[in-house]
Amino acid sequence: MTGAKRKKKGMLWSKMHTPHCEDFKQWCRRRLPILEWAPHYNLKENLLPDTMSGIMLAVQQVTQGLAFAILSSVHPVFGLYGSLFPAIIYAIFGMGRHVATGTFALTSLISANAVERLVPLSSGNLTTRSNTSTLGLSDFELQRIGVAAAVSFLGGVIQVAMFLLQLGSATFLLTEPVISAMTTGAATHVVTSQVKYLLGMKMPYISGPLGFFYIYAYVFENIKSVRLEALLLSLLSIVVLVLVKELNEQFKRKIKVVLPVDLVLIIAASFACYCTNMEITYGLEVVGHIPKGIPPPRAPPMNVLSAVITEAFGVALVGYVASLALAQGSAKKYKYPVDDNQEFLAHGLSNVIPSFFFCIPSAAAMGRTAGLYSTGAKTQVACLISCILVLIVIYAVGPLLYWLPMCVLASIIVVGLKGMLIQFRDLKKYWNVDKIDWGIWVSTYVFTICFAANVGLLFGVVCTIAIVIGRFPRAKTLSIKNMKEMELKVKIETDGETSQQVKIISINNPLVFLNAKKFHTDLMNIIQKENASNQLLDDVSKCEQNTLLNSLSNGNCNEEASQPCPSEKWFLILDCSGVTFFDYSGVSMLVEVYMDCKSRSVDVSLAHCTASLMKAVKYCGNPDSEKPISFESVSAALSNIYSNKNLSKLSDHSEV
């Protein structure tokens, strides 16, 4: 008896500890998304648009890499490395197929605080060469990139730790108004940091609380030191960039290839600076020597990690939030899933691994991602192609950028931030949807301007949670598990009398960012279950019809008969009498639910909507302007369905 028990126990133990091949494959697909889409890559349809997008992206990666490296207070060549390695890592681990990862203005600005604090300009000789002769750079430059790499390394470790703790599920706390205000405020900081290059001024590094105002105070105090040549060249560059990009946007459907104005401007400005010797004649600051090649990997200095914890947390949070917003936007636009937690892993590794290759902190950038949209990119192959071109620049073209004026590079940065800066236009939308969200946007922006992006983000999240908790009468109202469903079977008089279903769902909770995602998930589950059951009934009915009509089938459905027929439209009425208040996230989700239902052949009506809710729905994107979707009561919505569909009878009334 004992032997049998031991044998049984041994079999159970082996089952528990023997890894299944299928489980391992599934784990690999989940953690390495490239294994999911790469085997199904369509060379014929996708390679050409991905190649064109990759070429345009490479231009942005090079220019922004040089600019954001200077913004991070390190040598420009390290920005080229930061445009190469993170993009490769994210293409393997990331789920956003239209997300362009690389150097990022906000993370560069945060890491610059650590670099300037730990390795200030007065700390050592700027020209002393390193004993190891790494790229022929000075010890001072290597110390600076060491600090920036340490910030990248620790920030990536924090993101990987958040992945292990499954904190991706907490991203619902990051509402759209908070993210919009934080990124707009941070973009304003970046523009401010470029003022000294745009004006050709020599200015000390200014940071810390209210540093934004101190910079402009210094500019006005030293307004006589502005170089007119730099100012005119900056204005000319900005006008050319804005004008050509607007024309590209206007005629992108008529022209197959957009003009790479950034590249043209860099070549033209560098050539003009070289021919006229602007560096000496007019005193214009230029990029300087760009060494060739990639140095061997080296670990970041671990002795400074304790000194850069604050900046590392800022890089981890701000970089992830900005990148996740872009990944979710592309996923929503192109209808594919994005795992919030997997994005923690992807961006964490995109910071940890490149830190060994002298890279500054990375994240996804709005300008580059929008460029992928406009050029018709299909997959992350576009980013991999851009990496090949960046590698060519590193090994061959880099030294030719010596004469590129810094004021032109600063102009490219400022124009590239246009997408973030025009988010000021969202204020009107927030004011019309929910004035509290408007107030949160303004206060988050002010905190970001006065302090820093990570402080503004933290304030916005805390403020949003506090206000929502204050608005809820009881915490249990956050759950929508108890929302009531009512099913009505109706008969529609068409060519033949067929049974049609109306489902009434009563929403008994406010719609806010805390429960908006769950509201969408629960409702989609109900609709999927209903569509599946309707499809099953259709298949059974079709099988029975073919059995009667085809005597050769011997009672079985043939292959043609077993094909599913399209499910008939049914009706959903959302009773919004319980929606006592809402915010922008809740209304946006309600509009998204309407559009998703419409694509699934479900006709949605809203009942008991307040005037403020319908006004908010209109400003979030009127779902259907051709027919009314809002009614005073459920009976009015049913009457509208009756009049439109010739309903003759209600039967089988049940409550679930």
Side-chain angles (χ1 to χ4, degrees), residues 13 20 50 57 62 72 83 86 138 153 194 197 220 263 285 290 293 326 331 350 410 437 476 479 560 582 586 608 626:
W13 181 262
H20 295 286
D50 279 344
L57 178 61
V62 170
S72 194
S83 300
S138 65
F153 174 80
Q194 299 302 301
Y197 298 118
F220 286 113
L263 179 61
E285 189 177 354
I290 305 288
L326 295 174
S350 296
D437 275 345
K476 67 180 183 180
S479 172
E560 184 180 352
F582 50 86
H608 291 119
E626 296 179 358

Side-chain angles (χ1 to χ4, degrees), residues 63 67 194 197-199 229-238 241 261-270 272-273 278 284-287 403-416:
T63 54
Q194 299 302 301
Y197 298 118
L198 294 171
L199 302 178
E229 298 83 3
L231 177 59
L232 292 175
L233 188 55
S234 299
L235 290 174
L236 179 62
S237 300
I238 291 173
L241 287 167
V261 62
D262 295 0
L263 179 61
V264 173
L265 183 62
I266 287 173
I267 294 173
S270 301
C273 185
M278 291 184 186
L284 288 183
E285 189 177 354
V286 296
V287 170
W403 298 100
L404 177 61
M406 288 297 300
C407 60
V408 174
L409 204 54
S411 302
I412 293 173
I413 293 177
V414 171
V415 175

Side-chain angles (χ1 to χ4, degrees), residues 245-274:
K245 289 193 177 202
E246 285 296 324
L247 290 174
N248 281 341
E249 190 66 25
Q250 289 285 336
F251 299 102
K252 64 181 181 181
R253 293 183 179 179
K254 296 181 180 179
I255 54 177
K256 294 183 179 179
V257 181
V258 296
L259 178 66
V261 62
D262 295 0
L263 179 61
V264 173
L265 183 62
I266 287 173
I267 294 173
S270 301
F271 184 73
C273 185
Y274 172 77

Side-chain angles (χ1 to χ4, degrees), residues 516-563:
K517 189 176 288 187
K518 189 175 187 305
F519 165 71
H520 180 271
T521 303
D522 288 352
L523 203 55
M524 288 301 106
N525 287 339
I526 292 171
I527 291 170
Q528 285 178 359
K529 190 187 297 182
E530 197 62 41
N531 281 343
S533 103
N534 288 345
Q535 187 65 55
L536 182 61
L537 289 173
D538 288 342
D539 290 344
V540 170
S541 176
K542 190 167 185 179
C543 180
E544 290 174 352
Q545 291 173 10
N546 279 275
T547 302
L548 294 172
L549 295 174
N550 191 353
S551 60
L552 297 176
S553 62
N554 294 322
N556 297 319
C557 290
N558 56 27
E559 186 177 353
E560 184 180 352
S562 65
Q563 296 298 321

Side-chain angles (χ1 to χ4, degrees), residues 300-366:
M302 300 298 168
N303 59 323
V304 301
L305 292 182
S306 59
V308 299
I309 290 177
T310 304
E311 287 81 9
F313 267 102
V315 164
L317 294 177
V318 173
Y320 173 75
V321 168
S323 302
L324 181 65
L326 295 174
Q328 289 177 337
S330 66
K332 184 177 178 180
K333 185 173 183 178
Y334 293 100
K335 307 295 182 185
Y336 58 81
V338 166
D339 183 357
D340 297 350
N341 210 53
Q342 177 66 21
E343 291 298 291
F344 262 130
L345 177 64
H347 289 289
L349 294 178
S350 296
N351 277 308
V352 171
I353 297 174
S355 68
F356 289 83
F357 293 90
F358 303 90
C359 291
I360 60 178
S362 66
M366 182 182 290

Side-chain angles (χ1 to χ4, degrees), residues 28-39:
C28 286
R29 288 196 188 98
R30 193 167 66 251
R31 297 301 168 216
L32 298 169
I34 193 172
L35 299 179
E36 194 70 36
W37 59 264

